[in-house]
Amino acid sequence: LEVKVIAEPIEVLGSSRPAVTWISGESMARTSWCAFIVAPEASDDALLIELGVGHQGDAVTCKTALGHTELAKVIATLKWF
């Protein structure tokens, strides 16, 4: 199975961040993925976030995972302490 990874910017924590998106699997096991890094300024700390949701469409975009009702609630709560 060939997986096509696409880079696209996303808006998280009030700023644009680089992200990658791809689709894996087939049939009922097909998943749309979005991965991005969140890191505070002037710090060596970082968090890699990878989200995946079941997806039967052809669109390869982070909007699929980020727009998922429950995942969107989780993303909206991200913040650095």
Side-chain angles (χ1 to χ4, degrees), residues 20 22 34-39 46-51 80:
V20 293
W22 68 97
C34 180
F36 56 96
I37 294 174
V38 176
L47 179 63
L48 171 64
I49 298 176
E50 185 175 290
L51 306 168
W80 288 102

Side-chain angles (χ1 to χ4, degrees), residues 21-33:
T21 183
W22 68 97
I23 293 177
S24 67
E26 296 178 8
S27 188
M28 294 301 289
R30 190 172 160 91
T31 304
S32 178
W33 296 93

Side-chain angles (χ1 to χ4, degrees), residues 8-80:
E8 68 174 275
I10 62 169
E11 184 79 20
V12 176
L13 290 173
S15 64
S16 181
R17 300 175 188 282
V20 293
T21 183
W22 68 97
I23 293 177
S24 67
E26 296 178 8
S27 188
M28 294 301 289
R30 190 172 160 91
T31 304
S32 178
W33 296 93
C34 180
F36 56 96
I37 294 174
V38 176
E41 291 185 31
S43 174
D44 292 332
D45 296 329
L47 179 63
L48 171 64
I49 298 176
E50 185 175 290
L51 306 168
V53 296
H55 181 62
Q56 298 302 310
D58 293 327
V60 183
T61 176
C62 277
K63 290 178 184 176
T64 303
L66 294 175
H68 183 272
T69 303
E70 298 305 316
L71 290 178
K73 292 176 188 176
V74 173
I75 296 303
T77 67
L78 289 178
K79 60 183 168 182
W80 288 102

